[in-house]
Structures are given as structure tokens and as C-alpha cells.
Amino acid sequence: NDSWADVHLGLSCATAAEGNIEGCITESSKLLSILKLPGGVVLNNISDLARLYLLMGSKLRDDGRRAEALLALQTASLLNPHCSGTHKNLASIFEQSGEYERALRCYEKALLAAPSDGETFSLMSRCYERMGAQEAAVLCRRKAEELALSYH
């Protein structure tokens, strides 16, 4: 089953890159069954489809299936590049594997989608700390605190 998930996730990503939404829908229904996720998902628009791939990617990440999670999240990003949650999930995968530069690029994309998201600045701060870039970490932490204060 794992190898079939790989195949269908790869096809999903390729069809999304081509703009073939029908192909993504077909692959998503196969993946729901393979990954044993609840069916009956209503897909009213591309954002719903992107959200479905985001959920698949999150589950696969939580299950320790990094490569598959990356494919699902990349598909979600191709379908809806303006979803900060997708970019934060991608960043967390890269950060966990020590790919801090890639993680930071994903966090930056998340900020483009949601510039007032203090959590993203906090996550960036942690990433900079892990890289040993203390000055950048402090700047991000301050921005996160500033945003948190503006909401209270």
C-alpha cells in the first residue's frame, strides 16, 4: 500500500503542476482509500482540494512518512499557493531534517500569505536559533511578540 501511495502522490503532484484539476481529484479519491482516510469529502473548489492534500500531508508527516508528506504538501501548494498552513507544514518537515534554509523559504511564503501571523515569526525564530543566527532569531521573536500584543 505504501508504494501505491507514493505512485498516486507523485501523480497528484504532476497533475497539479500541469493544472489538471480533474486528475488531482481522481488521485485524491484513490489516496483517501489507500491512506485509510475518511471518504465522502465534498470538493466544491480548488481550495477544498488543496485543503484535502494539506490534511493528507499533515497525517503523513505525523506518521513519519516524510517523502510522501512532501509530495502531498507540494500538491497542496501548487493548488493553492496562498495557504500559509501548507507552507508552515513544509517548513516543519525541512526544519526537522536540518534543512533550515529551505524551512525559512517556506516560512517566508507563509508570511506572504498571512503577514500578521505571529506564530510564523515564532517558528522562524526557532529555526534561526537552530542555525546559530541569534540576531535574526531575536528580530523574529520581537515581531511575534509585537503581533501578539496587537491582538490583545
Side-chain angles (χ1 to χ4, degrees):
N1 256 359
D2 286 352
S3 62
W4 283 114
D6 288 346
V7 168
H8 290 291
L9 284 163
L11 289 170
S12 294
C13 200
T15 56
E18 294 172 349
N20 180 351
I21 304 308
E22 295 300 319
C24 281
I25 292 170
T26 300
E27 295 305 322
S28 71
S29 64
K30 293 174 185 172
L31 284 162
L32 287 173
S33 173
I34 291 168
L35 298 174
K36 296 178 176 55
L37 294 171
V41 177
V42 178
L43 302 173
N44 293 316
N45 53 45
I46 292 175
S47 291
D48 289 346
L49 186 59
R51 197 171 308 109
L52 176 61
Y53 279 98
L54 170 57
L55 292 172
M56 281 190 249
S58 297
K59 181 190 182 320
L60 290 163
R61 183 200 65 215
D62 293 347
D63 291 347
R65 296 166 70 175
R66 180 185 188 274
E68 294 164 314
L70 285 172
L71 282 171
L73 292 167
Q74 288 168 340
T75 301
S77 178
L78 287 165
L79 292 166
N80 182 3
H82 308 292
C83 176
S84 66
T86 299
H87 298 297
K88 288 196 292 191
N89 272 278
L90 282 164
S92 75
I93 292 171
F94 292 132
E95 192 173 347
Q96 286 171 354
S97 63
E99 298 175 70
Y100 301 121
E101 295 291 335
R102 289 181 82 181
L104 287 169
R105 284 194 300 273
C106 291
Y107 287 134
E108 288 166 1
K109 288 180 183 178
L111 285 174
L112 288 174
S116 299
D117 184 5
E119 179 191 32
T120 302
F121 282 102
S122 291
L123 294 168
M124 288 178 77
S125 175
R126 182 187 66 199
C127 190
Y128 278 121
E129 284 175 1
R130 290 178 176 174
M131 293 174 68
Q134 296 307 317
E135 208 171 300
V138 168
L139 290 173
C140 286
R141 190 169 30 262
R142 283 185 187 150
K143 183 65 176 176
E145 291 166 359
E146 174 187 313
L147 289 167
L149 289 174
S150 69
Y151 285 109
H152 294 292

